[in-house]
């Protein structure tokens, strides 16, 4: 059986775009999977879409930290933006979910903010790094439950050689393409067997599919062959305890 997997994503739809394939892969193998989403409130318009996407992926019910989006104040009205929230508070909220779910592996955004450099992606990366370590230390956030130490933390990323057709899509709508050097990637996963499941999970985020400048919307408007090429490989960097290219643990993400 593959190890249990917790994905920590900034927004609804990030989980499907960045790690939908490995989430589906682990679920199909009988492993426990779950997703924590840092922004948008449980009563927001995107919450039902997230519920539908996680159902497709087999990743349980939404786990929401409840912060506001840096660029969309309707995400969680009255709540602080994720980028403005006290760091220790946000870490503590995530520690609670890590200790509750007790994952073997945690996956989150990379340090550059996942191609486009969205500030919520960057902040989620920072919070997850701290929370994975804090979750294993009994003296930190004792109110969040019994300590739990995940065996590995991976950052979902995009190497220069793997950007491919994403570059013209993103640049065509004026977005950045912040790919990382190929040497930064320790793990690439061919998710072709689960690509249909991943695509159905992306489509579940209907409001994003309807937007022309969102990645789900752009993917929905290109030919099937190009879309398949874009979503069939997921790239990761092992941050804890690595990175160590060739480490056998790569094979079990």
């Amino acid at each position: 059986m593959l190890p249990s997997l917790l994905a920590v994503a900034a927004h609804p739809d990030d989980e499907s775009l960045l790690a939908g394939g490995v989430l589906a892969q682990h679920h199909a193998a009988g492993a426990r999977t779950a997703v924590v989403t840092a922004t948008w409130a449980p009563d927001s318009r995107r919450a039902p879409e997230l519920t539908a996407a996680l159902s497709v992926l087999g990743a349980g019910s939404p786990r929401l930290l409840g912060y506001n989006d840096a660029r969309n104040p309707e995400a969680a009205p009255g709540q602080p933006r994720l980028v403005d929230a006290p760091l220790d508070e946000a870490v503590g909220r995530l520690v609670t979910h890590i200790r509750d779910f007790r994952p073997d592996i945690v996956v989150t955004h990379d340090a550059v903010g996942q191609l486009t450099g969205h500030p919520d992606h960057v902040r989620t990366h920072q919070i997850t790094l701290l929370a994975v370590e804090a979750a294993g230390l009994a003296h930190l956030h004792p109110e969040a439950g019994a300590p739990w130490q995940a065996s590995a933390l991976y950052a979902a990323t995009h190497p220069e050689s793997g950007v491919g057709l994403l570059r013209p899509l993103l640049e065509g709508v004026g977005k950045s393409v912040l790919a990382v050097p190929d040497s930064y990637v320790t793990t690439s996963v061919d998710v072709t067997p689960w690509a249909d499941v991943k695509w159905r999970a992306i489509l579940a985020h209907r409001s994003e599919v309807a937007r022309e400048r969102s990645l789900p919307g752009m993917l929905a408007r290109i030919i099937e062959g190009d879309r398949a090429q874009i979503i069939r490989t997921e790239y990761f960097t092992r941050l804890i305890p690595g990175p160590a290219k060739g480490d056998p643990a790569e094979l079990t993400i």
Side-chain angles (χ1 to χ4, degrees):
M1 181 183 294
L2 293 178
S4 56
L5 179 64
L6 175 68
V8 184
H11 312 107
D13 82 359
D14 287 334
E15 80 295 325
S16 301
L17 290 165
L18 304 178
V22 295
L23 283 165
Q25 175 194 32
H26 281 238
H27 173 69
R32 296 183 304 116
T33 61
V35 172
V36 174
T37 308
T39 64
W40 291 78
D43 59 352
S44 65
R45 62 175 174 79
R46 293 187 65 182
E49 298 175 355
L50 178 60
T51 298
L54 298 189
S55 178
V56 171
L57 296 173
S61 299
R63 296 167 175 260
L64 296 159
L65 298 188
Y67 290 109
N68 218 335
D69 188 306
R71 296 173 177 169
N72 191 337
E74 72 170 284
Q79 297 302 311
R81 300 190 311 166
L82 177 67
V83 295
D84 298 329
L87 181 59
D88 196 55
E89 174 197 280
V91 169
R93 290 188 188 186
L94 181 53
V95 166
T96 298
H97 288 287
I98 293 173
R99 289 178 176 171
D100 176 66
F101 185 70
R102 302 170 72 86
D104 297 313
I105 292 174
V106 177
V107 172
T108 192
H109 300 275
D110 65 10
V112 299
Q114 220 69 58
L115 283 181
T116 62
H118 195 296
D120 288 337
H121 294 173
V122 174
R123 191 62 163 172
T124 300
H125 169 87
Q126 296 165 346
I127 290 166
T128 305
L129 280 176
L130 294 172
V132 167
E133 182 175 14
L137 300 173
H139 295 300
L140 295 178
H141 304 284
E143 76 288 350
W148 175 258
Q149 186 62 64
S151 62
L153 169 64
Y154 286 84
T157 194
H158 292 85
E160 290 283 358
S161 65
V163 174
L165 295 172
L166 274 175
R167 185 178 297 279
L169 282 181
L170 294 171
E171 291 181 341
V173 295
K175 293 189 176 184
S176 303
V177 181
L178 304 178
V180 301
D182 286 13
S183 59
Y184 183 72
V185 175
T186 60
T187 308
S188 60
V189 183
D190 180 358
V191 299
T192 300
W194 304 278
D196 286 346
V197 176
K198 177 178 178 175
W199 180 234
R200 286 193 286 113
I202 294 170
L203 287 176
H205 294 282
R206 298 183 303 276
S207 62
E208 291 300 287
V209 173
R211 295 178 58 229
E212 292 187 2
R213 295 186 75 254
S214 73
L215 186 52
M218 288 186 281
L219 290 174
R221 290 164 178 78
I222 62 176
I223 63 173
E224 183 177 351
D226 287 353
R227 180 170 62 243
Q229 183 176 333
I230 290 171
I231 71 172
R232 71 186 178 193
T233 307
E234 294 176 355
Y235 300 95
F236 303 90
T237 298
R238 191 177 186 191
L239 301 177
I240 297 175
K245 207 167 184 65
D247 189 317
E250 290 181 24
L251 305 178
T252 59
I253 187 172

